[in-house]
Amino acid sequence: MSGRRRLGRWLRPEAMVRVLSFAVVLAAYLLTPVYHDHSLSDFDVFNTLQGFASLGLIALALGLTIIAAEFDVSVLGMQALGGVLAVKAGADSGLLGVLAATAACAFLGAVQGGVIAKLRIQSMSVTIGTYIALLGLTNVIAGNETLTFTNTGAAIWINQTVASFFSPRSLIALGVFALVMLVVGATRIGPELRALGGDRRAGRVAGVPVDRRLTALFAVSGALAGLAGAMLAYSNASASLNPGLGPLVLAAAAAVLGGLSLRGGRGAIWGLLLGALAVALLEQVFTVTALPASSAQIVFGSLLLVVVVVDAPDLRSSLARLQARRASMRQLPHEIKPKAQRS
């Protein structure tokens, strides 16, 4: 029975989406030399993981809130603020800059989560307001000018090649994923997080500390976005004051490709990792093939639409009704035939 249950879990649409989407994108990546005059090299893999380093942490921050049936738009503002704070505080010590950015964004995320939890209001509207306010705060701190990171030692270190494919930046992102995967999978936090997204009222009855979990959730989301912004600023040797909506769109694509339900209550961190890697691979394919930005947007938009349709709440029930109707239609001639013989 346990084997059948495990097989059933892997055959669920959300599990199939995670594996198939990554497999299809990986195949497209590996077949790049076939349809484009470009042989893949170690540097291509390195670049893919560099793109994953920023995208993955933003996708993880957003994905954790999606599992809890929330949506943290403020990750974009946290990313921008984290970059500026890291550049400001990390002139002499890169580690100090990262810690300052992560701690400040975690604190702001906790305040935001506390407001959402106590007032029981929709996170989308609150986080949009926080996002706009954070962009304003970022510009005030930076004096409305792009900040240059003068700590060349930290900038060189975070981009140096490790084992041909990795960099400290990408290894840190993978390590954060592994840590979150361990915490969510081996503690009560995982089931409680899904309970927040599945049935929050039932979770309160069952003793889940909803307010504290939501506050901590947005604190973690802010910290992850701040860390992503700090490492990106170090990597680029400058802090961007406005990342635009691109990172949010790609993070949402990674979340849904990773099998997360936009309705909340469902999702796995390993699936989110696969989704982020799939999007990073796609971005590298677009870069190698020099695909126009408009065409890339069409591809990502189409992928989102397909996955959202698969995740539609009535799709599986409609398919089940259709299968039952076909089965009854097949049995109908066999039921009529004996009656005709009797007459």
Side-chain angles (χ1 to χ4, degrees), residues 70-104:
E70 305 290 349
F71 199 90
D72 189 5
V73 181
S74 70
V75 291
L76 296 174
M78 297 289 186
Q79 181 186 16
L81 179 63
V84 168
L85 291 177
V87 168
K88 280 276 192 180
D92 297 321
S93 171
L95 179 59
L96 178 61
V98 171
L99 291 176
T102 305

Side-chain angles (χ1 to χ4, degrees), residues 197-221:
D199 190 339
R200 193 161 297 179
R201 184 175 299 176
R204 290 182 186 274
V205 174
V208 176
V210 173
D211 292 354
R212 281 186 294 171
R213 289 293 178 263
L214 281 177
T215 302
L217 175 64
F218 279 93
V220 171
S221 177

Side-chain angles (χ1 to χ4, degrees), residues 163-278:
S164 299
F165 306 124
F166 304 96
S167 69
R169 183 179 160 208
S170 60
L171 288 174
I172 290 171
L174 290 170
V176 170
F177 260 97
L179 177 62
V180 174
M181 198 179 305
L182 178 64
V183 171
V184 171
T187 68
R188 293 177 52 188
I189 294 177
E192 288 179 351
L193 190 63
R194 295 183 182 90
L196 292 178
D199 190 339
R200 193 161 297 179
R201 184 175 299 176
R204 290 182 186 274
V205 174
V208 176
V210 173
D211 292 354
R212 281 186 294 171
R213 289 293 178 263
L214 281 177
T215 302
L217 175 64
F218 279 93
V220 171
S221 177
L224 291 172
L227 176 61
M231 292 200 300
L232 182 61
Y234 284 8
S235 179
N236 294 336
S238 64
S240 173
L241 302 185
N242 187 353
L245 293 176
L248 184 66
V249 174
L250 294 179
V256 294
L257 287 177
L260 272 65
S261 172
L262 296 177
R263 294 174 285 119
R266 192 186 74 210
I269 304 303
W270 67 265
L272 190 56
L273 174 62
L274 288 182
L277 286 172

